[in-house]
CSV table of all heavy atoms in Angstrom, one decimal:
chain,number,residue,atom,x,y,z
A,161,LYS,N,144.8,65.8,39.8
A,161,LYS,CA,143.5,65.5,39.3
A,161,LYS,C,143.1,64.1,39.8
A,161,LYS,O,143.7,63.1,39.4
A,161,LYS,CB,143.5,65.4,37.7
A,161,LYS,CG,143.8,66.8,37.1
A,161,LYS,CD,144.0,66.6,35.6
A,161,LYS,CE,144.5,67.9,35.0
A,161,LYS,NZ,145.0,67.8,33.6
A,162,ASN,N,142.0,64.0,40.6
A,162,ASN,CA,141.5,62.8,41.1
A,162,ASN,C,142.6,61.8,41.5
A,162,ASN,O,142.7,60.7,41.0
A,162,ASN,CB,140.6,62.1,40.1
A,162,ASN,CG,139.8,61.0,40.7
A,162,ASN,OD1,139.6,60.9,41.9
A,162,ASN,ND2,139.4,60.1,39.8
A,163,PRO,N,143.5,62.2,42.4
A,163,PRO,CA,144.8,61.4,42.6
A,163,PRO,C,144.5,60.1,43.3
A,163,PRO,O,143.6,59.9,44.1
A,163,PRO,CB,145.6,62.3,43.6
A,163,PRO,CG,144.6,63.2,44.3
A,163,PRO,CD,143.5,63.4,43.3
A,164,TYR,N,145.4,59.1,42.9
A,164,TYR,CA,145.4,57.9,43.7
A,164,TYR,C,146.2,58.2,45.0
A,164,TYR,O,147.2,58.8,44.9
A,164,TYR,CB,146.2,56.8,42.9
A,164,TYR,CG,146.6,55.6,43.7
A,164,TYR,CD1,145.6,54.7,44.1
A,164,TYR,CD2,147.9,55.4,44.0
A,164,TYR,CE1,146.0,53.6,44.9
A,164,TYR,CE2,148.3,54.3,44.8
A,164,TYR,CZ,147.3,53.4,45.2
A,164,TYR,OH,147.7,52.3,46.0
A,165,ILE,N,145.6,57.8,46.1
A,165,ILE,CA,146.2,58.1,47.4
A,165,ILE,C,146.7,56.8,48.0
A,165,ILE,O,145.9,55.8,48.2
A,165,ILE,CB,145.3,58.8,48.3
A,165,ILE,CG1,144.9,60.2,47.7
A,165,ILE,CG2,145.9,59.1,49.7
A,165,ILE,CD1,143.9,61.0,48.4
A,166,HIS,N,148.0,56.7,48.3
A,166,HIS,CA,148.5,55.5,49.0
A,166,HIS,C,148.9,55.9,50.4
A,166,HIS,O,149.8,56.8,50.6
A,166,HIS,CB,149.7,55.0,48.2
A,166,HIS,CG,150.4,53.8,48.9
A,166,HIS,ND1,149.9,52.6,48.9
A,166,HIS,CD2,151.5,53.8,49.7
A,166,HIS,CE1,150.7,51.8,49.6
A,166,HIS,NE2,151.6,52.5,50.1
A,167,LEU,N,148.3,55.3,51.4
A,167,LEU,CA,148.6,55.6,52.8
A,167,LEU,C,149.3,54.3,53.4
A,167,LEU,O,148.6,53.3,53.6
A,167,LEU,CB,147.4,55.9,53.6
A,167,LEU,CG,146.6,57.1,53.2
A,167,LEU,CD1,145.3,57.3,54.0
A,167,LEU,CD2,147.4,58.4,53.2
A,168,ALA,N,150.6,54.4,53.7
A,168,ALA,CA,151.2,53.3,54.3
A,168,ALA,C,151.1,53.4,55.8
A,168,ALA,O,150.7,54.5,56.3
A,168,ALA,CB,152.7,53.3,54.0
A,169,SER,N,151.3,52.3,56.6
A,169,SER,CA,151.2,52.4,58.0
A,169,SER,C,152.3,53.3,58.6
A,169,SER,O,153.4,53.2,58.1
A,169,SER,CB,151.3,51.0,58.6
A,169,SER,OG,151.4,51.1,60.0
A,170,PHE,N,151.9,54.0,59.6
A,170,PHE,CA,152.9,54.9,60.3
A,170,PHE,C,153.7,54.1,61.4
A,170,PHE,O,154.6,54.6,62.0
A,170,PHE,CB,152.3,56.1,61.0
A,170,PHE,CG,152.0,57.2,60.0
A,170,PHE,CD1,150.9,57.3,59.2
A,170,PHE,CD2,153.0,58.2,59.9
A,170,PHE,CE1,150.7,58.3,58.4
A,170,PHE,CE2,152.8,59.3,59.0
A,170,PHE,CZ,151.6,59.3,58.3
A,171,ASP,N,153.3,52.9,61.6
A,171,ASP,CA,153.9,52.1,62.7
A,171,ASP,C,155.3,51.7,62.4
A,171,ASP,O,155.5,51.0,61.3
A,171,ASP,CB,153.0,50.9,63.0
A,171,ASP,CG,153.5,50.2,64.3
A,171,ASP,OD1,154.2,50.9,65.1
A,171,ASP,OD2,153.1,49.1,64.5
A,172,ARG,N,156.2,52.0,63.3
A,172,ARG,CA,157.6,51.5,63.2
A,172,ARG,C,157.9,50.7,64.4
A,172,ARG,O,158.4,51.2,65.4
A,172,ARG,CB,158.6,52.6,63.0
A,172,ARG,CG,158.5,53.5,61.8
A,172,ARG,CD,159.1,52.9,60.5
A,172,ARG,NE,160.5,52.6,60.7
A,172,ARG,CZ,161.5,53.6,60.6
A,172,ARG,NH1,161.2,54.8,60.4
A,172,ARG,NH2,162.7,53.2,60.8
A,173,PRO,N,157.4,49.4,64.5
A,173,PRO,CA,157.4,48.7,65.7
A,173,PRO,C,158.8,48.4,66.3
A,173,PRO,O,159.0,48.2,67.5
A,173,PRO,CB,156.8,47.3,65.4
A,173,PRO,CG,156.9,47.2,63.9
A,173,PRO,CD,156.9,48.6,63.4
A,174,ASN,N,159.9,48.5,65.5
A,174,ASN,CA,161.2,48.3,66.0
A,174,ASN,C,161.8,49.5,66.9
A,174,ASN,O,162.8,49.4,67.5
A,174,ASN,CB,162.2,48.0,64.9
A,174,ASN,CG,162.3,49.2,63.9
A,174,ASN,OD1,161.3,49.7,63.5
A,174,ASN,ND2,163.6,49.5,63.5
A,175,ILE,N,161.1,50.6,66.8
A,175,ILE,CA,161.5,51.8,67.5
A,175,ILE,C,160.8,51.9,68.9
A,175,ILE,O,159.6,52.0,68.9
A,175,ILE,CB,161.3,53.1,66.7
A,175,ILE,CG1,162.0,53.1,65.4
A,175,ILE,CG2,161.6,54.4,67.5
A,175,ILE,CD1,161.8,54.3,64.5
A,176,SER,N,161.6,51.9,70.0
A,176,SER,CA,161.0,52.1,71.3
A,176,SER,C,160.8,53.6,71.6
A,176,SER,O,161.6,54.4,71.1
A,176,SER,CB,161.9,51.5,72.4
A,176,SER,OG,163.1,52.2,72.5
A,177,LEU,N,159.7,53.9,72.3
A,177,LEU,CA,159.4,55.3,72.6
A,177,LEU,C,159.5,55.5,74.1
A,177,LEU,O,158.9,54.7,74.9
A,177,LEU,CB,157.9,55.6,72.2
A,177,LEU,CG,157.6,55.2,70.7
A,177,LEU,CD1,156.1,55.4,70.4
A,177,LEU,CD2,158.4,56.2,69.8
A,178,LYS,N,160.1,56.6,74.5
A,178,LYS,CA,160.3,56.9,75.9
A,178,LYS,C,160.3,58.4,76.1
A,178,LYS,O,160.9,59.1,75.4
A,178,LYS,CB,161.6,56.3,76.5
A,178,LYS,CG,161.7,56.4,78.0
A,178,LYS,CD,162.9,55.7,78.5
A,178,LYS,CE,163.1,55.7,80.0
A,178,LYS,NZ,164.3,55.0,80.5
A,179,VAL,N,159.6,58.9,77.2
A,179,VAL,CA,159.6,60.3,77.5
A,179,VAL,C,159.9,60.4,79.0
A,179,VAL,O,159.5,59.6,79.9
A,179,VAL,CB,158.2,60.9,77.3
A,179,VAL,CG1,158.1,62.4,77.8
A,179,VAL,CG2,157.7,60.8,75.9
A,180,LEU,N,160.8,61.4,79.3
A,180,LEU,CA,161.3,61.6,80.7
A,180,LEU,C,161.1,63.0,81.0
A,180,LEU,O,161.5,63.9,80.2
A,180,LEU,CB,162.8,61.3,80.8
A,180,LEU,CG,163.2,59.9,81.2
A,180,LEU,CD1,164.7,59.8,81.4
A,180,LEU,CD2,162.6,59.4,82.6
A,181,ALA,N,160.6,63.3,82.2
A,181,ALA,CA,160.6,64.7,82.7
A,181,ALA,C,162.1,65.1,82.9
A,181,ALA,O,162.9,64.3,83.3
A,181,ALA,CB,159.9,64.8,84.1
A,182,ASN,N,162.4,66.3,82.4
A,182,ASN,CA,163.8,66.7,82.3
A,182,ASN,C,164.5,66.6,83.7
A,182,ASN,O,164.1,67.2,84.7
A,182,ASN,CB,163.8,68.2,81.9
A,182,ASN,CG,165.2,68.7,81.5
A,182,ASN,OD1,166.2,68.0,81.8
A,182,ASN,ND2,165.4,69.8,80.9
A,183,PRO,N,165.5,65.7,83.8
A,183,PRO,CA,166.2,65.5,85.1
A,183,PRO,C,167.3,66.5,85.4
A,183,PRO,O,167.9,66.3,86.4
A,183,PRO,CB,166.8,64.1,84.9
A,183,PRO,CG,167.1,64.0,83.4
A,183,PRO,CD,166.1,64.9,82.7
A,184,GLY,N,167.5,67.5,84.6
A,184,GLY,CA,168.6,68.4,84.8
A,184,GLY,C,169.7,68.1,83.9
A,184,GLY,O,169.9,67.0,83.4
A,185,LYS,N,170.6,69.1,83.6
A,185,LYS,CA,171.6,69.0,82.6
A,185,LYS,C,172.6,67.8,82.9
A,185,LYS,O,172.9,67.0,82.0
A,185,LYS,CB,172.4,70.3,82.6
A,185,LYS,CG,173.5,70.4,81.5
A,185,LYS,CD,174.2,71.7,81.5
A,185,LYS,CE,175.4,71.7,80.7
A,185,LYS,NZ,176.1,73.0,80.8
A,186,ALA,N,173.1,67.7,84.1
A,186,ALA,CA,174.1,66.7,84.4
A,186,ALA,C,173.6,65.3,84.2
A,186,ALA,O,174.2,64.4,83.5
A,186,ALA,CB,174.6,66.8,85.8
A,187,LYS,N,172.4,65.0,84.7
A,187,LYS,CA,171.8,63.7,84.5
A,187,LYS,C,171.4,63.4,83.1
A,187,LYS,O,171.5,62.3,82.6
A,187,LYS,CB,170.5,63.5,85.4
A,187,LYS,CG,170.8,63.4,86.9
A,187,LYS,CD,169.6,63.1,87.7
A,187,LYS,CE,169.9,63.0,89.2
A,187,LYS,NZ,168.7,62.9,90.0
A,188,ARG,N,171.0,64.4,82.4
A,188,ARG,CA,170.6,64.3,81.0
A,188,ARG,C,171.9,63.8,80.2
A,188,ARG,O,171.8,62.9,79.4
A,188,ARG,CB,170.1,65.6,80.4
A,188,ARG,CG,169.0,65.5,79.4
A,188,ARG,CD,168.4,66.8,79.2
A,188,ARG,NE,169.3,67.9,78.8
A,188,ARG,CZ,169.1,69.2,79.0
A,188,ARG,NH1,168.0,69.6,79.5
A,188,ARG,NH2,170.0,70.0,78.6
A,189,ILE,N,173.0,64.4,80.4
A,189,ILE,CA,174.2,64.0,79.7
A,189,ILE,C,174.6,62.6,80.1
A,189,ILE,O,175.0,61.8,79.2
A,189,ILE,CB,175.4,65.0,80.0
A,189,ILE,CG1,175.1,66.4,79.4
A,189,ILE,CG2,176.7,64.5,79.5
A,189,ILE,CD1,175.2,66.5,77.9
A,190,ASN,N,174.5,62.2,81.3
A,190,ASN,CA,174.8,60.9,81.8
A,190,ASN,C,173.9,59.8,81.0
A,190,ASN,O,174.4,58.8,80.6
A,190,ASN,CB,174.6,60.7,83.3
A,190,ASN,CG,175.7,61.4,84.1
A,190,ASN,OD1,176.8,61.7,83.5
A,190,ASN,ND2,175.4,61.8,85.3
A,191,ILE,N,172.6,60.2,80.9
A,191,ILE,CA,171.7,59.3,80.2
A,191,ILE,C,172.1,59.1,78.7
A,191,ILE,O,172.1,58.0,78.2
A,191,ILE,CB,170.2,59.8,80.3
A,191,ILE,CG1,169.8,59.7,81.8
A,191,ILE,CG2,169.3,59.0,79.4
A,191,ILE,CD1,168.5,60.4,82.1
A,192,ILE,N,172.5,60.3,78.1
A,192,ILE,CA,172.9,60.2,76.7
A,192,ILE,C,174.2,59.4,76.5
A,192,ILE,O,174.3,58.6,75.6
A,192,ILE,CB,173.1,61.7,76.1
A,192,ILE,CG1,171.8,62.4,76.1
A,192,ILE,CG2,173.8,61.6,74.7
A,192,ILE,CD1,171.9,63.9,75.8
A,193,THR,N,175.2,59.6,77.4
A,193,THR,CA,176.4,58.8,77.3
A,193,THR,C,176.2,57.3,77.5
A,193,THR,O,176.8,56.5,76.8
A,193,THR,CB,177.5,59.3,78.3
A,193,THR,OG1,177.0,59.2,79.6
A,193,THR,CG2,177.9,60.7,78.0
A,194,ARG,N,175.2,57.0,78.4
A,194,ARG,CA,174.9,55.5,78.6
A,194,ARG,C,174.4,55.0,77.3
A,194,ARG,O,174.6,53.8,76.9
A,194,ARG,CB,174.0,55.3,79.7
A,194,ARG,CG,174.6,55.5,81.1
A,194,ARG,CD,173.8,54.8,82.2
A,194,ARG,NE,172.5,55.4,82.4
A,194,ARG,CZ,172.3,56.4,83.2
A,194,ARG,NH1,173.3,56.9,83.9
A,194,ARG,NH2,171.1,56.9,83.4
A,195,MET,N,173.6,55.8,76.6
A,195,MET,CA,173.0,55.3,75.3
A,195,MET,C,174.1,55.1,74.2
A,195,MET,O,174.1,54.2,73.5
A,195,MET,CB,172.0,56.4,74.8
A,195,MET,CG,170.9,55.8,74.0
A,195,MET,SD,169.6,57.0,73.6
A,195,MET,CE,168.4,56.6,74.8
A,196,ILE,N,175.1,56.1,74.2
A,196,ILE,CA,176.2,56.0,73.3
A,196,ILE,C,177.0,54.7,73.6
A,196,ILE,O,177.3,53.9,72.7
A,196,ILE,CB,177.1,57.2,73.3
A,196,ILE,CG1,176.4,58.5,73.0
A,196,ILE,CG2,178.3,57.0,72.4
A,196,ILE,CD1,177.2,59.7,73.3
A,197,ASP,N,177.2,54.4,74.9
A,197,ASP,CA,178.0,53.2,75.3
A,197,ASP,C,177.3,51.9,74.9
A,197,ASP,O,177.9,50.9,74.7
A,197,ASP,CB,178.2,53.3,76.8
A,197,ASP,CG,179.2,54.4,77.2
A,197,ASP,OD1,179.9,54.9,76.3
A,197,ASP,OD2,179.2,54.8,78.4
A,198,ARG,N,175.9,52.0,74.9
A,198,ARG,CA,175.2,50.8,74.6
A,198,ARG,C,175.4,50.4,73.1
A,198,ARG,O,175.2,49.2,72.8
A,198,ARG,CB,173.7,51.0,74.8
A,198,ARG,CG,173.2,50.6,76.2
A,198,ARG,CD,171.7,50.3,76.3
A,198,ARG,NE,170.8,51.4,76.0
A,198,ARG,CZ,170.6,52.4,76.9
A,198,ARG,NH1,171.2,52.4,78.1
A,198,ARG,NH2,169.7,53.3,76.6
A,199,TYR,N,175.6,51.4,72.3
A,199,TYR,CA,175.8,51.1,70.8
A,199,TYR,C,177.1,51.7,70.3
A,199,TYR,O,177.1,52.6,69.5
A,199,TYR,CB,174.6,51.7,70.1
A,199,TYR,CG,173.3,51.3,70.6
A,199,TYR,CD1,172.5,52.1,71.4
A,199,TYR,CD2,172.8,50.0,70.2
A,199,TYR,CE1,171.3,51.7,71.8
A,199,TYR,CE2,171.5,49.6,70.7
A,199,TYR,CZ,170.8,50.4,71.5
A,199,TYR,OH,169.5,50.0,71.9
A,200,PRO,N,178.3,51.2,70.8
A,200,PRO,CA,179.6,51.8,70.5
A,200,PRO,C,179.9,51.8,69.0
A,200,PRO,O,180.7,52.7,68.6
A,200,PRO,CB,180.6,51.0,71.3
A,200,PRO,CG,179.9,49.7,71.5
A,200,PRO,CD,178.4,50.0,71.6
A,201,ASP,N,179.4,50.9,68.3
A,201,ASP,CA,179.7,50.8,66.8
A,201,ASP,C,178.7,51.5,65.9
A,201,ASP,O,178.8,51.4,64.7
A,201,ASP,CB,179.9,49.3,66.4
A,201,ASP,CG,181.0,48.6,67.2
A,201,ASP,OD1,182.0,49.3,67.5
A,201,ASP,OD2,180.8,47.4,67.6
A,202,ASP,N,177.6,52.0,66.5
A,202,ASP,CA,176.6,52.7,65.7
A,202,ASP,C,176.5,54.2,66.1
A,202,ASP,O,177.3,54.7,66.8
A,202,ASP,CB,175.3,51.9,66.0
A,202,ASP,CG,175.3,50.5,65.5
A,202,ASP,OD1,175.6,50.3,64.3
A,202,ASP,OD2,175.0,49.6,66.3
A,203,SER,N,175.4,54.8,65.6
A,203,SER,CA,175.3,56.3,65.6
A,203,SER,C,174.0,56.7,66.3
A,203,SER,O,173.1,55.9,66.4
A,203,SER,CB,175.4,56.9,64.2
A,203,SER,OG,176.5,56.4,63.5
A,204,GLY,N,174.0,58.0,66.7
A,204,GLY,CA,172.8,58.5,67.3
A,204,GLY,C,172.7,60.0,67.1
A,204,GLY,O,173.7,60.7,66.7
A,205,ILE,N,171.5,60.6,67.3
A,205,ILE,CA,171.3,62.0,67.1
A,205,ILE,C,170.7,62.6,68.3
A,205,ILE,O,169.8,62.0,69.0
A,205,ILE,CB,170.3,62.3,65.9
A,205,ILE,CG1,170.8,61.6,64.6
A,205,ILE,CG2,170.1,63.8,65.7
A,205,ILE,CD1,169.8,61.7,63.5
A,206,VAL,N,171.3,63.8,68.8
A,206,VAL,CA,170.6,64.5,69.9
A,206,VAL,C,170.1,65.8,69.3
A,206,VAL,O,170.8,66.7,68.8
A,206,VAL,CB,171.7,64.9,71.0
A,206,VAL,CG1,171.0,65.7,72.1
A,206,VAL,CG2,172.4,63.7,71.5
Side-chain angles (χ1 to χ4, degrees):
K161 295 174 189 167
N162 190 23
Y164 167 71
I165 297 176
H166 176 79
L167 302 179
S169 171
F170 277 87
D171 189 19
R172 297 280 302 281
N174 61 313
I175 298 178
S176 70
L177 306 171
K178 186 175 184 180
V179 177
L180 269 182
N182 191 348
K185 184 178 167 184
K187 285 184 180 173
R188 216 167 54 204
I189 293 291
N190 288 339
I191 291 168
I192 293 169
T193 56
R194 284 201 295 273
M195 209 174 259
I196 301 171
D197 292 339
R198 269 202 297 283
Y199 305 103
D201 299 323
D202 295 306
S203 309
I205 304 172
V206 182

